[in-house]
Amino acid sequence: MDKISGDIKKEYRERAVLVGVDLSKGNGKEYSEFERSMEELENLAKSCFMEPVAILTQKMESINKGLYIGTGKVKEVQEVAERLEADIIIFDNALTPSQLRNLQDELGKPIIDRTTLILDIFESRARTREAKLQVESARLQYLLPRLVGMHEALTRQGGTSGSMSSRGAGEKKLELDRRRIEQRLSELRKELDQVSKERTVQRKKRQESRIPLAALVGYTNAGKSTIMNAMIDRYMGEENKRVLEKDMLFATLDTTVRRINTGNNKDFLLSDTVGFIHKLPHTLVKAFRSTLEEVRNADILIQVVDYSDPFYPEQMKTTGETLAELGAGDIPMIIVYNKADLCAEEISYPRIHENKLYISAKDDTSVQMLVQMIIERAYSDFVEVKLEIPYDKGNIVSYFRENAHILSQKYGEDGTEILVKCHKADSDKYREYIRN
């Protein structure tokens, strides 16, 4: 499966050799999950402005504990990297500290693994202060156990053991780096806790408004941001409210919330979250947990699936696993099969089949159908009640006017009589004014 590319594009900053190990026991006749993982690694490299000049793979029963790949393959990787003047070598799985150190000694070129590559992408895309703090925290957590061997050029030999002053230069540097990283992680935790508190206050205010929250979730590059922008264009018409939309992995990192004004007081909040991916680093899930709280607190999830991708079932499985890890596996969900217009076979859209919606985010009718589906699900807890509000309680009428759908209104002898469709919680709160 090894392949070498001769087409080098000038806009890429570095030339990369990609390396992977196939541990599957299949016969290799079908397009395997491993091949899909390597293809995804190639796209990740391109997203980080690297040009994959060669893809080298090895089928093994188990990983080489010392070098990840076999010794013969190490020599082949070295020869290919030298011949193609590669700047960097990328491995498809997370490397242990010893594997990283041994490979750097053998290959003599910068080595990174899939996790580091994803961290690099996140770092380059982070825009808000919160995202930057989260990415830095994830990177330092991943780097900490990998410090050993990074200062091999310095001697480890010192005098007697025990104190910092008696250690070799390399050992001192390692210890100082560890202390600096642990200190910075402590600072980051405090800053992120503060940001998390601010986000909690914002979330509480939204919950008090009784406006339902719908969260877009799914695999990276499935079209979540395109769907959000389509709704913003149609129902808000504010160009400055749009989010970044680009055909690349992890184009959007920052969680964005927009109020979609559909009319008839049936607005809802729409949240666009970071996309998921196969082998998403645990440190990133942990670091972005506060941001992804928007998912956990959503009234309804909209899982966006790239229906044109032949591996969409596996992508849906990855999304489901990540949602379960976040504690959001039981939230009601709408499955949206997007990019129906790009499918190899002709697909009828927009249409609903077995509670699943087939659409193209670029089709206005598709967007309207999705919005209607969100409204029906999000407002399923709303009830129709008749209330008589005393004239000296005009603030209650104002509240319902802003947070519910008033079907009729008239002025009686003792107060304002309204027929309203509202959230059940509001009906219970003002039950003393309900009239038959």
Side-chain angles (χ1 to χ4, degrees), residues 88-354:
I88 194 166
I89 300 171
I90 307 173
F91 286 79
D92 187 42
N93 271 326
L95 298 173
T96 65
S98 61
Q99 287 171 345
L100 185 62
R101 181 175 65 252
N102 294 338
L103 285 167
Q104 285 177 334
D105 289 342
E106 293 287 334
L107 298 172
K109 286 186 179 290
I111 307 291
I112 65 171
D113 57 18
R114 186 188 184 96
T115 299
T116 304
L117 180 60
I118 293 175
L119 286 168
D120 284 345
I121 294 172
F122 271 55
E123 189 172 54
S124 66
R125 306 280 163 77
R127 293 291 177 269
T128 65
R129 172 172 167 264
E130 181 179 18
K132 290 176 180 177
L133 292 173
Q134 289 166 330
V135 174
E136 185 182 356
S137 175
R139 180 180 287 284
L140 291 178
Q141 288 177 55
Y142 192 69
L143 175 63
L144 191 57
R146 288 163 174 77
L147 287 175
V148 179
M150 291 180 66
H151 309 293
E152 291 293 305
L154 299 174
T155 177
R156 289 285 184 93
Q157 300 300 316
T160 58
S161 60
S163 69
M164 192 74 169
S165 60
S166 66
R167 300 180 184 181
E171 202 167 359
K172 288 180 184 177
K173 183 74 168 75
L174 181 62
E175 185 63 29
L176 288 170
D177 282 351
R178 278 180 174 157
R179 289 184 182 181
R180 275 196 289 265
I181 288 177
E182 288 170 351
Q183 182 180 356
R184 180 57 182 156
L185 280 171
S186 177
E187 293 171 354
L188 288 170
R189 279 191 287 269
K190 290 178 182 177
E191 291 186 68
L192 284 169
D193 284 345
Q194 182 59 40
V195 174
S196 181
K197 288 177 183 177
E198 294 170 3
R199 187 178 285 278
T200 300
V201 171
Q202 295 172 352
R203 192 180 297 121
K204 187 176 180 181
K205 288 181 179 179
R206 291 200 299 267
Q207 289 172 341
E208 289 174 351
S209 71
R210 306 289 188 200
I211 302 176
L213 173 63
L216 292 162
V217 298
Y219 216 71
T220 181
N221 208 30
K224 299 183 295 298
S225 298
T226 305
I227 288 175
M228 173 170 256
N229 282 338
M231 291 190 189
I232 291 172
D233 291 343
R234 191 175 207 293
Y235 297 98
M236 297 176 67
E238 299 180 53
E239 186 73 23
N240 63 326
K241 296 292 185 181
R242 289 171 61 88
V243 297
L244 177 63
E245 176 187 327
K246 204 166 184 179
D247 184 17
M248 64 164 55
L249 303 183
F250 298 118
T252 304
L253 283 191
D254 304 307
T255 296
T256 305
V257 180
R258 296 287 184 263
R259 180 167 178 162
I260 306 301
N261 184 3
T262 63
N264 294 324
N265 280 352
K266 288 190 176 181
D267 297 0
F268 62 87
L269 298 172
L270 185 66
S271 170
D272 182 22
T273 59
V274 61
F276 306 140
I277 197 170
H278 183 54
K279 301 177 186 175
L280 183 67
H282 180 73
T283 52
L284 274 176
V285 175
K286 186 178 178 181
F288 275 74
R289 187 171 291 276
S290 63
T291 301
L292 292 169
E293 285 289 322
E294 296 292 348
V295 175
R296 283 181 51 183
N297 289 278
D299 298 289
I300 187 167
L301 300 180
I302 307 162
Q303 183 179 169
V304 182
V305 180
D306 181 356
Y307 196 53
S308 68
D309 191 311
F311 281 93
Y312 76 84
E314 287 79 4
Q315 295 176 355
M316 292 178 71
K317 181 182 177 183
T318 296
T319 298
E321 291 170 350
T322 308
L323 289 173
E325 185 178 350
L326 291 168
D330 297 327
I331 298 175
M333 180 184 292
I334 296 174
I335 303 294
V336 178
Y337 289 113
N338 188 31
K339 303 186 184 182
D341 55 319
L342 301 179
C343 291
E345 56 184 83
E346 189 171 337
I347 301 294
S348 174
Y349 71 88
R351 65 185 175 93
I352 299 174
H353 179 65
E354 297 180 348

Side-chain angles (χ1 to χ4, degrees), residues 1 21-24 30-41 92 114 219 278-279 311 314-315 317-318 321:
M1 185 183 161
V21 172
D22 184 2
L23 299 174
S24 64
E30 297 181 356
Y31 192 74
S32 67
E33 182 176 337
F34 167 71
E35 289 174 301
R36 178 176 69 90
S37 182
M38 291 303 296
E39 184 178 293
E40 198 167 76
L41 183 67
D92 187 42
R114 186 188 184 96
Y219 216 71
H278 183 54
K279 301 177 186 175
F311 281 93
E314 287 79 4
Q315 295 176 355
K317 181 182 177 183
T318 296
E321 291 170 350

Side-chain angles (χ1 to χ4, degrees), residues 370-400:
L370 174 56
V371 168
Q372 186 57 39
M373 202 169 183
I374 293 172
I375 290 173
E376 290 173 1
R377 299 287 183 88
Y379 282 85
S380 61
D381 289 338
F382 278 56
V383 294
E384 188 175 303
V385 292
K386 183 184 290 185
L387 303 101
E388 185 179 48
I389 312 296
Y391 288 119
D392 62 347
K393 302 287 185 182
N395 60 308
I396 298 178
V397 177
S398 298
Y399 174 82
F400 279 110

